[in-house]
Amino acid sequence: MLTPPDDATPTDLIAHALTIALGARDHYTRIHCDRVVELSRELGQKIGLNSAELARLALGARFHDMGKIGIPDTVLRKPDSFDSAEWACMQQHVLIGEQIVLAINGGRPSSISRTVRHHHENYDGSGYPDKLRGSTIPLDARIVSIVDSYDAMTARRPYQKPRQHTAVMDILHSEASRKHDPDLLKAFSAMIETSPLRAGTE
């Protein structure tokens, strides 16, 4: 998302501006969000979402980590694992992100704000912030959850080397029905094999 399209809506322009701000704050998160947008679109197309649904999904994916703007550098840039207080702080990014989206939308909840709030819910109800489970988790949030996990594990981070595609898929399948929607994961498994964003095997 280097430049907005000529027919960009005001929301598109706001998303673009905030993406630039996020990139200035944390380049890794900016690049990660770009990939999550593209993978979410691919999975949305795979399951038959229409153009309006795909546009909403893409915006939810674009904003999913925007709340990390409000996370202190000592946590956001920490090169190793979090203690309990730091983990609680990091979990706040979904609420901060939701507030950003609500502010853009005049305080009115939307599918995009719900995607941002709920993309770390787990299918079995063990996620955060609201411990939603199964189909009570919005569809877009379930999609973003899968592609977010895939990209996070296959990308290089300060505290981990990128994992191989097959190893990541083994982990995702082990999390089916616990962390991820099993039907969406099946669709993702078929889609990712031909995706230009598929990770390497070596």
Side-chain angles (χ1 to χ4, degrees):
M1 194 174 182
L2 298 178
T3 58
D6 292 338
D7 60 349
T9 67
T11 299
D12 292 332
L13 295 174
I14 292 169
H16 180 68
L18 288 173
T19 297
I20 292 173
L22 181 61
R25 176 75 196 288
D26 182 54
H27 182 69
Y28 165 77
T29 300
R30 156 72 191 277
I31 298 303
H32 166 69
C33 287
D34 289 345
R35 291 193 298 259
V36 169
V37 169
E38 294 309 313
L39 285 169
S40 294
R41 280 198 189 108
E42 288 185 50
L43 182 50
Q45 290 170 340
K46 179 70 176 179
I47 65 172
L49 298 187
N50 63 37
S51 59
E53 291 166 335
L54 287 170
R56 288 194 297 269
L57 171 61
L59 275 174
R62 172 65 58 197
F63 281 113
H64 84 281
D65 271 348
M66 197 61 66
K68 288 183 178 179
I69 286 176
I71 301 300
D73 281 349
T74 52
V75 174
L76 187 63
R77 300 178 184 274
K78 187 176 181 180
D80 49 21
S81 58
F82 297 141
D83 62 28
S84 59
E86 290 165 337
W87 178 234
C89 177
M90 179 57 82
Q91 289 181 342
Q92 294 300 303
H93 81 276
V94 300
L95 305 180
I96 297 169
E98 179 191 35
Q99 291 303 309
I100 291 170
V101 176
L102 287 172
I104 293 170
N105 200 38
R108 298 182 299 275
S110 66
S111 62
I112 297 166
S113 66
R114 287 188 287 271
T115 298
V116 173
R117 182 181 180 94
H118 296 303
H119 74 277
H120 280 296
E121 305 284 2
N122 290 342
Y123 200 71
D124 68 356
S126 64
Y128 67 88
D130 299 316
K131 298 192 179 301
L132 300 185
R133 64 187 305 156
S135 61
T136 64
I137 304 168
L139 174 61
D140 288 2
R142 282 179 273 148
I143 290 172
V144 171
S145 174
I146 292 173
V147 302
D148 183 34
S149 293
Y150 179 83
D151 187 72
M153 287 189 281
T154 57
R156 183 176 298 278
R157 291 187 171 195
Y159 52 84
Q160 73 175 28
K161 294 180 180 179
R163 299 184 184 183
Q164 297 178 4
H165 169 77
T166 52
V168 171
M169 293 309 299
D170 286 344
I171 292 170
L172 292 179
H173 284 300
S174 75
E175 296 172 335
S177 298
R178 180 176 63 82
K179 184 174 182 181
H180 301 301
D181 180 325
D183 293 328
L184 283 177
L185 183 56
K186 183 177 179 180
F188 176 80
S189 298
M191 176 276 290
I192 194 63
E193 293 305 322
T194 57
S195 171
L197 290 176
R198 181 189 185 278
T201 57
E202 297 182 4

